[in-house]
Amino acid sequence: WKDNNEYELLISLKHTDQIRGLLQLKGKEMLVACAYDSSLGLTFWELNTYSKHHVLKGFGIDYPSHIIQLSDGHIALSSNKKPYPIEIIDCDSYQVKKSILLKGDVTCYSSLCLFNQYSFFYVFNGTLLQISSEDYSIMFKVKGGNFNAYSGGMIVIEGGRYVAIQNNKCVMIGKLFDK
């Protein structure tokens, strides 16, 4: 959309299935859309020409639930397909850099949230993980609550704190690991 006090539609980038996530790559004129249909995968769109630049498909990329861009420029994508991996994708090579497979009761209702330049959160029903953006190890784990990632998961707010949705109510949780 173009904002000239009237909002004029510039172009419609067509997908044939539900779009589950959308982000603009930092410092690039590139839009990334993840579609729920496995035949579409991740679509990288050139914003200068409004054309498809690249489509990435694969096991954990199929049926995404959430997408974020990490501070190093890579993409973290959670999957709705068993065993529900988190895929770390290099945006320059369009390759999966790492698949994070978690043991335990992981569900398809998950959410990702960038916490700081060193870590991000992965939330699924009953569990909240803080994951290192450097080596993708688990830094902190909260289990036992009913974190409801399906309803929106969580957001980072001022002061290094975050708000997570638990039992369909907002729950404030203070700082965890912040280098």
Side-chain angles (χ1 to χ4, degrees):
W1 293 88
K2 179 180 177 183
D3 177 10
N4 52 351
N5 295 328
E6 295 184 13
Y7 296 105
E8 168 189 349
L9 178 63
L10 297 174
I11 192 165
S12 179
L13 306 175
K14 301 211 186 272
H15 280 264
T16 58
D17 197 33
Q18 296 177 29
I19 300 298
R20 298 300 293 240
L22 189 66
L23 63 90
Q24 180 181 356
L25 296 179
K26 294 174 188 129
K28 297 183 179 184
E29 286 294 310
M30 186 81 61
L31 184 71
V32 182
C34 55
Y36 195 67
D37 184 337
S38 63
S39 67
L40 299 173
L42 281 180
T43 304
F44 293 78
W45 295 89
E46 285 281 350
L47 288 176
N48 292 330
T49 61
Y50 305 114
S51 60
K52 277 186 192 177
H53 177 72
H54 190 82
V55 176
L56 182 61
K57 299 177 188 177
F59 172 76
I61 296 164
D62 298 343
Y63 304 102
S65 60
H66 205 249
I67 184 173
I68 61 170
Q69 187 171 18
L70 302 175
S71 55
D72 64 3
H74 295 330
I75 291 173
L77 176 75
S78 59
S79 177
N80 273 329
K81 191 171 187 176
K82 280 188 179 183
Y84 313 115
I86 302 167
E87 300 289 13
I88 307 298
I89 299 158
D90 183 321
C91 294
D92 294 325
S93 67
Y94 305 107
Q95 299 292 319
V96 174
K97 180 178 179 179
K98 174 134 180 126
S99 284
I100 303 171
L101 295 174
L102 303 169
K103 295 179 181 176
D105 186 26
V106 181
T107 68
C108 63
Y109 301 119
S110 62
S111 180
L112 295 164
C113 178
L114 188 62
F115 181 59
N116 56 28
Q117 66 181 358
Y118 305 107
S119 65
F120 62 97
F121 289 117
Y122 177 61
V123 181
F124 54 91
N125 287 349
T127 305
L128 178 144
L129 301 175
Q130 185 175 11
I131 300 173
S132 165
S133 296
E134 296 168 345
D135 65 3
Y136 309 112
S137 63
I138 296 172
M139 300 169 69
F140 184 82
K141 181 176 184 177
V142 175
K143 188 165 174 60
N146 183 20
F147 292 99
N148 190 347
Y150 185 72
S151 298
M154 63 188 307
I155 59 170
V156 173
I157 59 172
E158 191 176 300
R161 299 168 296 166
Y162 63 90
V163 176
I165 297 172
Q166 184 176 14
N167 297 323
N168 294 319
K169 299 175 184 172
C170 288
V171 176
M172 181 76 67
I173 302 175
K175 265 187 185 178
L176 294 176
F177 291 98
D178 192 7
K179 290 186 178 182

